[in-house]
Amino acid sequence: MPAKPRSPILVGLLSAVGLAALSLLTFAVVSRSGGEPGTTTAGATSSSTTTGGNPPTTSTSAPTSTTGEDPTTTAETTTTTTTTLPFHAWVDRRTVGQPWGEAVTGILTFRGNPTHSWYGTGPVPETPRILWKYPEAPMGSVDELGDYWTGVTWTGQPLVWERPDGVTELIFGATDARVHFLDAVTGAPTRRPFFTSPGGHIKGTPTLDPDGFPLLYFGARDHKLRIVALDRDEPAALWSFDSDDEPAGRWWRDWDASPRIVNDLMFEGGENSFFYIWKLNRAYGADGQVTVDPVLLFKMPIWNDELLAALEPSRWIGPRWESTSVECSAAIFEGRVYFGNSAGRIIGLDITNVEQGEAPLVFDFWVGDDSDASMVIDGEGMLYVPVERKRFLPRGREVGQLVKLNPYAPDDPFVWGMFSLTDPPYWGGLFASPALGDGVVYAVTNRGYLVAVDQETGEETWSVDIGAGAFTGPRHMSSPIVVGDRLVVATAGGRLQSYDVTDPRSPVLDWDLPITDGAIEATPAAWNGIIYIGSRDGFLYAVGE
């Protein structure tokens, strides 16, 4: 049964009226280049391609509710005329909710596409059971700090794709410092695992090239971002970039984000607090084997003095107070790339002229706490940003922990905010990415609630306890997925659940399957009747009929 709505300190609507009397710090938009939704305008700003752009400004006014306008219809005179816009070269709005790329069939990156809005294919099993688990012994190894890690961690969503030879292949990284390749039906290995290095755990989700090149992109905890060829007898590294080679880097050196591949470019943020864009120059050599020759087009430090000053009151939490790393995967929509950092800075860059080395800052907003989970973008270009509650700054009580932003309203992009607050020392907010449903947004809070939120108003329409109280131990970090009329969720308590969302505003539990005694942090992948999910117990599981 759904739980009763909780008080606003747990989760609720943050209205513009309620904010009107608040004084807050806003990292404001500094330019409108990049165009309105559905247009391509590469305007210039005073930000440099090697700096974080103009410093955010201070506002004493509270955010107010805003909505975006759809520019795809013409003005009405005696008749109404609809104009069909040509496809936008930089991730058209019509790709929201759709698989990415035409050359390869499958789940090719974290959350399926550049807007993080496609989650796989059904049907979801009606009477589920564990079909197989891999491997025979638990995966795990010791990292560079001497800590032993096991299994598949956050974000850890497996890739699934249909190979040209007819094999459906599953690809995932794990804490044994390997990328594994399995037959998605049987669980048998299809290739030798690719080993990074001792301590080179793979936390995030790899990306398979969406344009048909036999290339795999991923980062690891050995500080390296890699491109691996899959057309050799064994997977072979063609290129790597070491975060230690960034002299101005700060905070940490891992690569957690899923690399975003669009138009022969790779977009990636690192825990060294830089964001990078490379031209890949993919090709085939005289021997017929794939090649790459990446050239760095753009890099940007994603902190500045004003951001660090805003974080200063959280110094009491320990060394993490000054973290500014990028752990989320970048999202791209119609000429802009968006990402957040662990200091709560949400950034948008105009990429329409990036091949000339230009990516001006066009959006800059501060949510007040870590935004490590990846945002989602809807068909109007609105951003749904998950925010953690670890610094316990006042800003988190002002804007919320699931925040809808309109990046095309530069004076006040705030639309609504939903709360999931905690008090020290318990972490709250969202460590998982939300999922778009039919007029609603589904989210899992660290406190252990699965919620449905009205996409337009931010009103919580439904919630259920999936392990409340577990935030004192394992954190709820697995992102929900929507497949057809089913919502699939993995919990920190090691369970997999399916909800009927025929009524999207009031889901009904279909089934609740225990998978493991270990925590599940990774995000599930659904493909042709089977759900794949990794666990911290050391194994990856296939669940089906």
Side-chain angles (χ1 to χ4, degrees):
M1 296 292 292
K4 294 180 179 179
R6 301 182 300 285
S7 65
I9 197 168
L10 295 178
V11 57
L13 172 66
L14 178 63
S15 68
V17 174
L19 281 173
L22 294 174
S23 176
L24 52 87
L25 176 66
T26 299
F27 282 23
V29 177
V30 296
S31 169
R32 294 195 67 170
S33 64
E36 294 294 323
T39 68
T40 302
T41 306
T45 74
S46 59
S47 64
S48 165
T49 59
T50 57
T51 70
N54 288 352
T57 60
T58 301
S59 170
T60 57
S61 61
T64 56
S65 179
T66 60
T67 58
E69 297 182 356
D70 187 345
T72 60
T73 56
T74 62
E76 184 174 281
T77 54
T78 56
T79 61
T80 300
T81 303
T82 300
T83 302
T84 301
L85 295 175
F87 238 63
H88 199 293
W90 293 98
V91 186
D92 189 88
R93 64 182 53 210
R94 285 160 285 191
T95 66
V96 171
Q98 301 298 317
W100 181 243
E102 298 179 355
V104 183
T105 300
I107 303 172
L108 309 181
T109 190
F110 181 65
R111 312 291 278 172
N113 62 22
T115 54
H116 303 147
S117 61
W118 186 73
Y119 313 117
T121 64
V124 171
E126 295 182 359
T127 55
R129 63 184 179 90
I130 296 175
L131 302 178
W132 51 260
K133 72 176 183 178
Y134 172 89
E136 293 183 359
M139 298 173 286
S141 64
V142 177
D143 68 9
E144 63 177 324
L145 302 178
D147 296 325
Y148 191 81
W149 293 55
T150 57
V152 182
T153 64
W154 177 93
T155 55
Q157 185 178 35
L159 308 181
V160 192
W161 73 298
E162 302 294 343
R163 291 187 351 186
D165 61 3
V167 174
T168 302
E169 189 171 48
L170 193 73
I171 304 174
F172 69 98
T175 58
D176 60 353
R178 289 170 171 83
V179 178
H180 297 268
F181 305 87
L182 307 179
D183 185 302
V185 177
T186 67
T190 53
R191 315 174 197 248
R192 182 185 295 274
F194 178 87
F195 179 68
T196 56
S197 67
H201 301 163
I202 302 161
K203 292 169 58 184
T205 300
T207 292
L208 189 66
D209 192 279
D211 301 313
F213 291 92
L215 295 168
L216 188 70
Y217 311 84
F218 62 93
R221 296 201 74 217
D222 63 355
H223 314 168
K224 286 185 169 59
L225 177 67
R226 290 177 171 86
I227 302 177
V228 170
L230 301 181
D231 60 351
R232 276 66 165 171
D233 292 337
E234 297 181 1
L238 300 185
W239 175 89
S240 67
F241 176 75
D242 195 318
S243 58
D244 291 329
D245 293 336
E246 183 57 68
R250 70 184 306 275
W251 182 242
W252 202 240
R253 296 156 291 187
D254 298 354
W255 302 90
D256 288 356
S258 186
R260 191 62 60 239
I261 310 300
V262 176
N263 293 342
D264 197 37
L265 303 188
M266 177 167 64
F267 301 80
E268 179 76 342
E271 288 201 41
N272 65 352
S273 304
F274 271 79
F275 187 79
Y276 301 90
I277 306 174
W278 282 276
K279 174 74 172 177
L280 292 170
N281 294 306
R282 300 165 297 178
Y284 290 95
D287 58 1
Q289 294 185 328
V290 70
T291 65
V292 291
D293 184 20
V295 174
L296 182 64
L297 299 177
F298 175 89
K299 70 177 181 180
M300 171 185 176
I302 43 76
W303 78 94
N304 56 30
D305 291 341
E306 187 171 356
L307 179 63
L308 296 179
L311 301 178
E312 183 73 26
S314 67
R315 180 185 288 271
W316 65 272
I317 69 173
R320 289 190 63 90
W321 79 270
E322 59 178 350
S323 63
T324 54
S325 59
V326 179
E327 299 187 31
C328 66
S329 301
I332 300 176
F333 182 90
E334 297 199 339
R336 293 182 174 190
V337 59
Y338 300 97
F339 56 94
N341 73 359
S342 57
R345 188 181 183 192
I346 309 304
I347 292 172
L349 305 175
D350 178 354
I351 57 174
T352 53
N353 203 32
V354 68
E355 295 216 38
Q356 283 68 52
E358 300 175 12
L361 182 70
V362 292
F363 186 73
D364 203 352
F365 188 85
W366 187 51
V367 293
D369 216 319
D370 297 32
S371 184
D372 293 335
S374 301
M375 70 183 74
V376 179
I377 304 180
D378 70 16
E380 294 182 346
M382 303 298 105
L383 315 181
Y384 299 85
V385 180
V387 186
E388 298 167 18
R389 177 71 171 165
K390 296 194 300 190
R391 301 177 185 276
F392 308 102
L393 294 170
R395 179 68 163 171
R397 291 185 177 274
E398 294 166 352
V399 300
Q401 285 67 57
L402 175 61
V403 183
K404 181 177 180 178
L405 300 174
N406 178 359
Y408 301 98
D411 295 332
D412 190 354
F414 182 87
V415 181
W416 52 253
M418 187 272 300
F419 284 99
S420 179
L421 294 169
T422 51
D423 292 319
Y426 302 121
W427 290 359
L430 275 65
F431 288 69
S433 295
L436 296 180
D438 184 5
V440 297
V441 182
Y442 299 109
V444 173
T445 72
N446 188 47
R447 295 201 62 163
Y449 292 96
L450 172 63
V451 300
V453 180
D454 185 279
Q455 195 169 332
E456 293 301 318
T457 68
E459 177 187 2
E460 179 188 323
T461 68
W462 173 89
S463 68
V464 69
D465 181 344
I466 61 170
F471 64 96
T472 59
R475 294 186 288 275
H476 291 269
M477 304 173 75
S478 179
S479 301
I481 62 172
V482 178
V483 182
D485 58 2
R486 292 298 185 268
L487 171 67
V488 178
V489 180
T491 76
R495 308 182 76 87
L496 190 66
Q497 299 178 341
S498 172
Y499 293 83
D500 184 334
V501 290
T502 302
D503 178 358
R505 301 170 67 85
S506 185
V508 177
L509 181 67
D510 276 330
W511 48 259
D512 182 355
L513 180 69
I515 300 292
T516 172
D517 292 333
I520 297 177
E521 297 177 1
T523 294
W527 192 255
N528 292 348
I530 300 178
I531 300 171
Y532 304 94
I533 185 69
S535 170
R536 289 303 303 269
D537 69 354
F539 299 97
L540 181 133
Y541 297 84
V543 174
E545 297 287 356

